[in-house]
Amino acid sequence: MKLFLDDFRLFFDNSSLKIISNECLKRSEAAFQVKNGNIPKWTKAIDITNSLPKGKVVLNSPYIQIQNNDINSSVLINALEKLLPWRKGPFMFNQLKLDSEWQCDLKWQRIKKHIKPLKNKTVLDVGAGNGYFTLRMAMDGAKKALGIEPFLLFNYQFRVIKSMINSPLNALLLPIRLEEIPKVQLFDTVFSMGVLYHQRNHLEHLTQLKEMMTPGAELVLETLIVEGPKGYSLTPDGRYAQMRNVYCLPSIGTLESWLIDMKFKNINVVDICKTTPDEQRRTPWIGDNAASLEDFLDPSDSSLTKEGYPAPTRAIVVCQN
Ligand SMILES: C[S@@+](CC[C@H](N)C(=O)[O-])C[C@H]1O[C@@H](n2cnc3c(N)ncnc32)[C@H](O)[C@@H]1O
């Protein structure tokens, strides 16, 4: 993986995270060695963007924008299209808009007003996708923003974005799972957004998040929920909103009780909202014939998924270690 080592060293050297760097490097290098027929195409994308002039990164809300008028947009589009589908974003390169399936700024706005400021914080973003949120954390002043995401395509997307930025932004994405990262209490804020319901063992996931947190650190947990009393959770039989690997959707009371059992403090449900087609939508950047929210819902009743379960509703819970 091009660009990886230099960026890795710059991120970990002279940082409190140095203590986990060897293990993270070993795991990441192993992940990048995995055989995947798409890797030559994804590597080509990085070769292209890495040869382009680098530019300044700014927030041009909702876009993370890279400003560089010297970029030839047809060359850039050719590179970005090699990394379809773009699920998370949006990004902008000069005036070229990459409208991803998810308009992630909406989630960030819902979260940002309820969490402790990230300025000078060391933060972990678990299940970071292509690092859109990890970049936003760094742009909000985090001292170090580490994203971990096992899905390789998303790591290539992150590298392509990072390869075009001229400043050493304090954000890094590594292709590792939460289970694999050494458990050291290093982080002031830990994010798990859209990850809990993908875990076979939700309590183990919460335990591992806690093990990464300094005393008093903040957990930002965003997950799918269902209506119901405390103690109720839905385990879909097969797919949920066409997603595989959805194991457990708790009621709010159940979710809170899990956090109490894990000895988290000051548990605060700060937001509950239904996912809308403004936030998750079909765009040209998810490729031909790709489906999105509208295709996952019952065409005659948008309050239900195609499988007949309640349509996606997400909660944000903030609590302390
Ligand atoms: C629904 S996406 C959410 C992405 C982003 N955090 C967001 O809120 O939009 C969940 C991501 O978590 C990743 N993931 C699932 N299990 C994980 C684990 N055990 N450790 C790290 N990442 C994981 C998946 O590969 C997937 O990209």
Side-chain angles (χ1 to χ4, degrees):
M1 159 64 92
K2 295 251 167 78
L3 292 167
F4 179 70
L5 263 185
D6 286 353
D7 206 27
F8 185 95
R9 296 220 166 91
L10 197 63
F11 184 84
F12 278 98
D13 284 355
N14 304 317
S15 143
S16 59
L17 299 181
K18 181 105 178 118
I19 185 170
I20 58 168
S21 67
N22 283 347
E23 187 62 22
C24 286
L25 183 59
K26 202 173 86 190
R27 297 277 187 175
S28 302
E29 286 184 331
F32 281 130
Q33 292 310 315
V34 165
K35 288 212 178 347
N36 178 322
N38 286 311
I39 284 180
K41 180 174 73 175
W42 295 344
T43 305
K44 179 79 186 139
I46 293 186
D47 288 342
I48 295 172
T49 56
N50 198 30
S51 66
L52 299 174
K54 297 183 195 321
K56 185 174 169 205
V57 65
V58 296
L59 183 65
N60 184 353
S61 194
Y63 298 91
I64 291 180
Q65 186 183 26
I66 298 173
Q67 297 176 331
N68 189 338
N69 291 324
D70 296 334
I71 289 183
N72 175 325
S73 43
S74 60
V75 172
L76 179 59
I77 291 171
N78 177 263
L80 297 172
E81 283 181 346
K82 293 185 191 306
L83 299 174
L84 291 173
W86 286 83
R87 300 270 175 217
K88 308 294 170 175
F91 297 97
M92 198 167 163
F93 309 90
N94 298 322
Q95 297 315 306
L96 171 71
K97 292 178 174 168
L98 190 168
D99 281 307
S100 49
E101 178 188 14
W102 284 86
Q103 211 285 54
C104 295
D105 179 67
L106 292 173
K107 189 191 289 193
W108 194 239
Q109 295 308 331
R110 289 197 295 275
I111 286 180
K112 203 177 145 158
K113 54 180 180 266
H114 297 291
I115 64 174
K116 289 188 187 151
L118 297 180
K119 192 146 184 59
N120 290 326
K121 298 273 171 61
T122 301
V123 308
L124 178 65
D125 183 14
V126 175
N130 64 12
Y132 174 89
F133 293 108
T134 321
L135 290 165
R136 291 293 298 265
M137 292 166 199
M139 291 166 82
D140 280 354
K143 182 159 61 183
K144 297 282 170 188
L146 176 62
I148 54 174
E149 169 55 58
F151 194 50
L152 272 190
L153 168 63
F154 295 158
N155 282 271
Y156 278 82
Q157 290 179 348
F158 178 83
R159 299 246 56 92
V160 151
I161 298 292
K162 195 97 193 269
S163 74
M164 287 189 277
I165 298 176
N166 61 10
S167 58
L169 195 62
N170 288 327
L172 188 70
L173 186 71
L174 298 179
I176 56 184
R177 308 182 68 84
L178 178 62
E179 300 86 304
E180 298 170 330
I181 193 167
K183 298 298 171 304
V184 187
Q185 297 185 329
L186 286 171
F187 296 93
D188 306 310
T189 309
V190 170
F191 293 84
S192 167
M193 303 188 290
V195 188
L196 188 68
Y197 52 86
H198 286 308
Q199 309 309 304
R200 279 180 202 280
N201 187 335
H202 49 272
L203 292 183
E204 201 170 284
H205 182 73
L206 295 175
T207 306
Q208 290 171 348
L209 295 171
K210 199 164 200 276
E211 286 170 346
M212 304 306 302
M213 297 169 68
T214 57
E218 188 155 82
L219 173 67
V220 183
L221 182 65
E222 193 254 8
T223 195
L224 287 169
I225 51 145
V226 285
E227 274 183 30
K230 180 177 163 188
Y232 177 75
S233 61
L234 168 71
T235 301
D237 184 15
R239 295 188 180 210
Y240 171 82
Q242 299 291 289
M243 279 186 285
R244 290 192 203 90
N245 309 330
V246 173
Y247 295 104
C248 190
L249 278 59
S251 68
I252 273 293
T254 304
L255 183 59
E256 285 174 313
S257 72
W258 293 348
L259 293 166
I260 293 167
D261 289 349
M262 302 304 316
K263 308 247 177 314
F264 283 105
K265 296 179 213 121
N266 307 325
I267 299 160
N268 223 334
V269 180
V270 297
D271 187 83
I272 295 180
C273 77
K274 259 192 181 339
T275 306
T276 67
D278 284 340
E279 185 160 2
Q280 186 185 14
R281 65 266 156 99
R282 228 178 291 139
T283 75
W285 285 98
I286 56 173
D288 298 338
N289 304 320
S292 190
L293 181 66
E294 285 165 295
D295 309 291
F296 306 151
L297 300 179
D298 181 339
S300 60
D301 182 356
S302 64
S303 72
L304 298 175
T305 68
K306 272 209 158 142
E307 303 83 6
Y309 296 119
T313 298
R314 292 169 178 267
I316 299 166
V317 186
V318 178
C319 56
Q320 267 83 44
N321 184 19

